């Protein structure tokens, strides 16, 4: 480690220790010291992650590794307590439910083992779960394909029906929109002409955009015919529609990223430094 | 027309200085681009940081007019008769919280203000902690008379993703035999008469990941016909707009949707004029940052064409 790195490390430690002390002095409540430490630690982690903008450095690496490690541990604990203890235990055994202090939801086909009643049906996911773990042993790894096939097949079956219904049939029917909304003749249309968002003209324009957008977008993906003539024109319009869609998506993505930055800066300015009120 | 007072002018001096600073910097970069000089990426980062931090420190806010899709959700909640049962699912985590938490807060506030019965749950393990924020900041602080188990209830998190939705579509109690505090379903008055998702008047999912709003539409909304609305992070909002209005009755897209809802709710509820408006505060930095990003796109294009012309001359 170079001398400069040591100096920077000492300065960073001193700055955040001072921040902890000052924050503890400004925090009210019984756990002021603990709360101040957590806020200071969060601020350090935030700045450590942001320091990557300048260049890669040990502070960024430390924060990144800590985040990944804590996330993995957190999800492992959540998986155990919510899936096994939360979902499986209350359905499988009254004794285990008492042990884990979760309410037992009994009923169904029971059998007794070691003086404790078990529900047979829910032993199947336990067996499949154990088979899934066989992947950890190289020689028996192939066994894990059976439960994996079961999972993939179940979700494919579940999703196929729902996606077919909601993303295909209903979406197609939602595209069948009237091109002439509340049409009562050209004279009536001209007399009622307005650019209001809920007006007749905008409604017709909106429906026309939906019709042309979907039609030309589909034409672009039709590769069995050469994209020339009017077909090529529709295809090019389809490309424009797609580009506008991607542009809108990108705009929303930028908005989302800026929101994250605002969220972090709000934390730094309000919770850590206390220079803004809300 | 109101004449600007001296105090307002002085108060806006900070804003003017910052805008001049950012504008001047962009002009300097534009001139550099015309000369064909490239910009270090750290300069771009610094500009974004300033353009986000300055409006936040100076509290630059903008009035937001609700768009049709936001207005529909507001009207749906507003027009339901008092005592209607609304299911709110907090399907998000801390990374999404800057965008979705303001939505969750303002929608929960609206639901309770209208006297509806709010049933809270989550399909994300992290959603429980996010609901606790709404519970502390909104429900307990602003609705002290709201009784747990009577006006609102927290069913907590249940693992299983789409599997949970598939079950509660027909039998809610089977998946949630108790609330989050292990209080049995039958001893909670608010849940009386609820057997499945079909017994709710409205379902609102707040999230942006999977499972989220889309799964609620696919697995619950479409098969049962219960109106589904959502509030989502900006990244997924464009993918959900096609579901409106046939499959969704409203959608808050990103922080802008939240800000529109906050503004409209505050304007229409005089007893909430002093409520916190985090989404509206965030729209100041959003607007300035977007202008700066647009300027950078222009500068980048200028630089590209200048360099290309130089190469052609060579």
């Amino acid at each position: 480690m170079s001398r400069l790195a040591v100096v920077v490390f000492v300065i960073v430690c001193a700055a955040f220790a001072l921040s902890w002390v000052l924050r503890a002095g400004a925090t009210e409540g019984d756990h002021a010291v603990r709360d101040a430490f957590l806020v200071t630690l969060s601020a350090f982690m935030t700045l450590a992650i942001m320091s990557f903008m300048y260049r890669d450095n040990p502070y960024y690496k430390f924060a990144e590794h800590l985040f990944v490690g804590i996330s993995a541990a957190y999800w492992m604990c959540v998986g155990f307590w919510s899936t096994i203890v939360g979902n499986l235990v209350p359905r499988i055994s009254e004794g285990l439910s008492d042990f884990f202090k979760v309410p037992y939801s009994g009923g169904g086909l029971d059998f007794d083992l070691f003086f404790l009643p078990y529900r047979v049906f829910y032993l199947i996911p336990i067996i499949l779960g154990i088979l899934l773990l066989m992947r950890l042993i190289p020689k028996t790894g192939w066994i894990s394909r059976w439960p994996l096939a079961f999972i993939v097949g179940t979700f494919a079956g579940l999703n196929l029906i729902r996606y077919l219904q909601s993303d295909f049939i209903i979406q197609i029917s939602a595209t069948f929109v009237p091109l002439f909304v509340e049409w009562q003749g050209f004279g009536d249309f001209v007399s009622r002409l307005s650019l209001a968002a809920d007006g007749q003209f905008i409604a017709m324009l909106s429906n026309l955009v939906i019709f042309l957008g979907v039609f030309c977008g589909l034409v672009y993906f039709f590769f069995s015919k050469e994209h020339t003539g009017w077909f090529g024109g529709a295809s090019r319009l389809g490309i424009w529609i797609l580009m506008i869609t991607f542009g809108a998506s990108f705009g929303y993505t930028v908005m989302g990223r800026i929101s994250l930055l605002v969220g972090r800066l709000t934390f730094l300015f309000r919770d850590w430094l206390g220079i803004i009120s809300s | 027309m109101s004449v600007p007072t001296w105090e307002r002018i002085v108060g806006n001096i900070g804003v003017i200085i910052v805008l001049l600073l950012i504008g001047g910097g962009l002009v300097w970069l534009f001139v550099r681009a015309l000369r064909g000089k490239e910009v270090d990426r750290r300069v771009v980062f610094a500009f974004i940081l300033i353009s986000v931090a300055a409006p936040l420190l100076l509290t630059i806010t903008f009035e937001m007019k609700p768009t049709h899709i936001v207005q529909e959700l507001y009207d749906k909640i507003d027009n339901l008769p008092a005592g209607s049962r609304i299911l709110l699912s907090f399907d998000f985590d801390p990374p999404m919280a800057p965008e979705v938490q303001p939505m969750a807060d303002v929608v929960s506030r609206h639901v309770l203000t209208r006297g509806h019965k709010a049933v809270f749950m989550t399909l994300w393990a992290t959603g429980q902690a996010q609901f606790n924020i709404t519970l502390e900041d909104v429900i307990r602080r602003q609705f002290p008379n709201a009784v747990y188990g009577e006006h609102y209830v927290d069913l907590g998190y249940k693992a299983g993703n789409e599997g949970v939705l598939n079950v509660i579509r027909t039998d809610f109690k089977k998946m949630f035999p108790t609330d989050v505090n292990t209080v049995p379903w039958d001893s909670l008055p608010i849940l009386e008469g609820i057997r499945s998702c079909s017994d709710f008047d409205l379902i609102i999912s707040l999230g942006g990941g999977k499972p989220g709003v889309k799964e609620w539409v696919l697995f619950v909304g479409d098969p049962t016909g219960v109106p589904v609305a959502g509030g989502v992070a900006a990244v997924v909002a464009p993918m959900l707009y096609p579901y409106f209005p046939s499959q969704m009755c409203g959608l808050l897209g990103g922080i802008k949707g939240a800000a529109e809802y906050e503004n409209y709710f505050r304007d229409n509820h005089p007893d909430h004029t002093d409520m916190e408006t985090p989404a509206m505060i965030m729209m100041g930095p959003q607007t300035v940052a977007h202008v700066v990003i647009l300027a950078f796109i222009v500068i980048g294009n200028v630089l590209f064409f200048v360099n290309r012309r130089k190469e052609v001359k060579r």
Side-chain angles (χ1 to χ4, degrees):
Chain A
M1 193 184 277
S2 70
R3 185 179 292 176
L4 180 66
V6 173
V7 171
V8 170
F9 179 73
V10 170
I11 290 171
V12 168
C13 288
F16 280 94
L18 182 68
S19 157
W20 180 11
V21 172
L22 293 174
R23 194 67 237 161
T27 307
E28 293 175 0
D30 298 334
H31 305 290
V33 175
R34 186 197 64 186
D35 293 348
F37 172 73
L38 291 174
V39 168
T40 309
L41 183 68
S42 305
F44 170 73
M45 291 299 169
T46 303
L47 293 173
I49 290 287
M50 284 180 173
S51 68
F52 185 75
M53 300 285 185
Y54 181 68
R55 71 177 185 203
D56 199 1
N57 63 78
Y59 299 98
Y60 168 75
K61 281 199 170 77
F62 170 73
E64 187 192 31
H65 292 176
L66 191 70
F67 177 74
V68 171
I70 287 178
S71 295
Y74 177 78
W75 281 111
M76 194 173 165
C77 291
V78 165
F80 176 77
W81 286 102
S82 61
T83 308
I84 294 175
V85 177
N87 279 352
L88 187 64
V89 167
R91 292 178 170 89
I92 197 166
S93 161
E94 193 171 1
L96 282 173
S97 298
D98 290 342
F99 178 76
F100 283 108
K101 294 184 174 57
V102 287
Y104 176 62
S105 55
L109 184 63
D110 291 354
F111 81 102
D112 291 336
L113 187 69
F114 300 118
F115 310 106
L116 290 172
Y118 289 85
R119 293 170 71 188
V120 177
F121 187 72
Y122 289 99
L123 290 178
I124 298 168
I126 296 178
I127 294 164
L128 289 173
I130 292 166
L131 292 182
L132 205 59
L133 291 174
M134 290 292 123
R135 196 168 190 80
L136 298 172
I137 306 164
K139 281 186 180 174
T140 57
W142 61 273
I143 300 175
S144 67
R145 289 177 190 167
W146 285 97
L148 207 60
F150 182 80
I151 293 167
V152 172
T154 305
F155 272 91
L158 269 176
N159 286 331
L160 178 72
I161 301 163
R162 295 297 354 133
Y163 277 77
L164 197 66
Q165 179 72 19
S166 300
D167 269 6
F168 191 67
I169 295 170
I170 300 179
Q171 283 286 297
I172 289 173
S173 72
T175 314
F176 294 152
V177 287
L179 293 179
F180 295 95
V181 182
E182 298 170 16
W183 187 257
Q184 292 174 357
F186 189 72
D188 177 72
F189 173 73
V190 173
S191 66
R192 288 204 294 169
L193 192 63
S194 97
L195 292 175
D198 55 350
Q200 186 189 20
F201 175 70
I202 296 297
M204 286 169 62
L205 192 67
S206 171
N207 288 358
L208 189 69
V209 169
I210 289 172
F211 169 70
L212 281 178
V214 173
F215 183 77
C216 296
L218 289 173
V219 164
Y220 170 70
F221 287 105
F222 191 80
F223 302 116
S224 301
K225 181 175 161 51
E226 197 178 349
H227 288 195
T228 52
W230 72 268
F231 196 79
S235 171
R236 271 191 294 281
L237 186 59
I239 293 173
W240 275 98
I241 297 286
L242 289 172
M243 288 300 153
I244 291 166
T245 310
F246 296 149
S249 294
F250 178 69
Y252 267 101
T253 306
V254 169
M255 186 167 80
R257 303 304 174 219
I258 297 292
S259 293
L260 295 183
L261 180 60
V262 175
R264 282 295 82 199
L265 289 183
T266 304
F267 166 76
L268 291 175
F269 292 154
R270 185 186 60 193
D271 300 336
W272 184 45
L273 298 174
I275 51 177
I276 57 172
S277 57
S278 62
Chain B
M1 198 175 84
S2 62
V3 179
T5 59
W6 175 245
E7 287 80 15
R8 280 184 66 185
I9 293 169
V10 171
N12 288 333
I13 280 179
V15 178
I16 294 164
I17 289 171
V18 169
L19 291 178
L20 282 175
L21 196 71
I22 294 171
L26 288 172
V27 170
W28 172 69
L29 288 175
F30 187 73
V31 172
R32 278 175 61 88
L34 285 173
R35 290 175 184 167
K37 291 180 180 173
E38 292 199 1
V39 179
D40 191 283
R41 67 188 176 94
R42 279 169 281 209
V43 175
V44 179
F45 294 149
F47 264 89
I48 296 295
L49 186 69
I50 292 167
S51 60
V52 170
L56 207 57
L57 292 167
L58 300 166
T59 323
I60 300 173
T61 55
F62 298 92
E63 286 290 305
M64 291 284 144
K65 199 178 173 188
T67 45
H68 180 53
I69 196 164
V70 173
Q71 177 88 46
E72 287 286 319
L73 174 57
Y74 181 92
D75 291 343
K76 183 74 186 174
I77 295 173
D78 225 45
N79 295 334
L80 282 171
S84 298
R85 287 179 289 210
I86 297 178
L87 179 68
L88 293 110
S89 188
F90 280 48
D91 309 325
F92 62 103
D93 57 357
M96 262 187 273
E99 288 184 276
V100 186
Q101 190 72 50
M103 296 175 194
D105 287 352
V106 72
V107 169
S108 302
R109 185 182 286 122
H110 192 190
V111 166
L112 291 171
T113 302
R114 292 292 302 153
H116 300 313
K117 291 176 179 176
V119 177
F120 295 96
M121 61 165 282
T122 169
L123 295 173
W124 285 43
T126 44
Q128 183 55 44
Q130 301 305 137
F131 170 70
N132 288 340
I133 294 171
T134 302
L135 183 68
E136 290 300 323
D137 293 351
V138 178
I139 300 173
R140 286 190 180 147
R141 192 181 296 172
Q142 290 166 26
F143 299 92
N145 296 326
V147 180
Y148 182 82
E150 198 174 316
H151 300 108
Y152 70 97
V153 71
D154 176 19
L155 297 179
Y157 165 67
K158 190 59 70 178
N161 301 336
E162 291 95 326
V164 176
L165 299 177
N166 223 25
V167 175
I168 64 173
R169 190 174 69 213
T170 52
D171 190 349
F172 220 108
K173 194 176 162 184
K174 192 175 180 182
M175 205 35 114
F176 290 93
T178 67
D179 75 345
V180 72
N181 302 313
T182 66
V183 178
W185 176 283
D186 295 325
S187 59
L188 293 160
I190 190 175
L191 301 173
E192 199 176 309
I194 295 176
R195 289 184 59 81
S196 66
C197 285
S198 304
D199 296 314
F200 286 99
D201 299 292
L202 176 63
I203 293 170
I204 303 169
S205 170
L206 301 149
K210 189 176 168 25
V213 181
K214 181 169 177 159
E215 281 67 35
W216 276 102
V217 172
L218 263 59
F219 286 87
V220 177
D222 286 345
T224 61
V226 179
V228 174
V232 293
V235 176
V236 294
M239 284 172 259
L240 288 165
Y241 280 125
Y243 293 111
F244 177 82
S246 63
Q247 290 160 280
M248 287 182 73
C249 62
L251 181 71
L252 309 184
I255 201 66
K256 188 172 183 296
E260 289 170 11
Y261 203 101
E262 274 181 359
N263 199 21
Y264 196 66
F265 175 78
R266 195 184 59 176
D267 289 351
N268 287 280
H269 290 85
D271 48 333
H272 287 279
T273 45
D274 58 342
M275 72 177 212
E276 286 186 2
T277 53
M280 285 177 69
I281 290 169
M282 283 172 84
M283 282 312 288
Q286 282 283 354
T287 309
V288 178
H290 275 71
V291 170
V292 169
I293 290 167
L294 284 172
F296 272 114
I297 290 170
V298 172
I299 290 168
N301 276 280
V302 168
L303 189 64
F304 169 76
F305 285 113
V306 167
N307 284 340
R308 196 169 71 168
R309 188 185 289 174
K310 277 182 181 174
E311 282 175 17
V312 169
K313 277 183 182 176
R314 276 182 209 150

